[in-house]
Amino acid sequence: MKGLPEERAVKLAQYIIENNATVRQTAKQFSISKSTVHKDVSERLKIYNEALYKQVKDVLEQNKSERHIRGGQATKNKYERLRRK
């Protein structure tokens, strides 16, 4: 994904908000690194569009509070697949 970092930050933020996406999902969707996504939405966006930054921050905080649930579900799925073999 090329272009100005400010424009990229806005596009990434819009994707995260619209899809309730994680940093990892967003990075995969745009074929960029998680570090780039995180830097764009947490540092660059704060400077250029504070209202959008606050919306993204809320989504990412929610994702952070739920990640232990997703991790537990992933482990459960892993062992269920192994048991079926």
Side-chain angles (χ1 to χ4, degrees):
M1 178 178 204
K2 295 188 179 186
L4 295 174
E6 298 83 21
E7 292 174 4
R8 183 181 62 212
V10 170
K11 287 179 184 176
L12 295 172
Q14 289 170 339
Y15 179 80
I16 289 171
I17 293 166
E18 290 170 7
N19 298 291
N20 200 28
T22 63
V23 169
R24 197 176 287 246
Q25 291 167 337
T26 305
K28 187 174 184 179
Q29 176 68 29
F30 289 93
S31 300
I32 56 178
S33 73
K34 293 183 303 181
S35 300
T36 301
V37 173
H38 191 267
K39 183 173 182 105
D40 283 352
V41 298
S42 65
E43 294 179 16
R44 290 190 176 110
L45 196 58
K46 189 174 186 179
I47 297 168
Y48 297 107
N49 190 336
E50 192 162 342
L52 194 58
Y53 165 76
K54 288 178 181 177
Q55 289 178 311
V56 170
K57 184 178 174 191
D58 290 341
V59 172
L60 295 180
E61 285 296 322
Q62 179 184 354
N63 289 339
K64 186 175 180 182
S65 70
E66 295 171 351
R67 72 179 168 196
H68 68 284
I69 296 168
R70 286 191 300 274
Q73 187 63 44
T75 302
K76 179 182 175 185
N77 293 343
K78 173 184 172 183
Y79 285 105
E80 284 178 349
R81 281 192 306 270
L82 289 175
R83 198 172 355 157
R84 288 185 219 148
K85 288 184 179 182

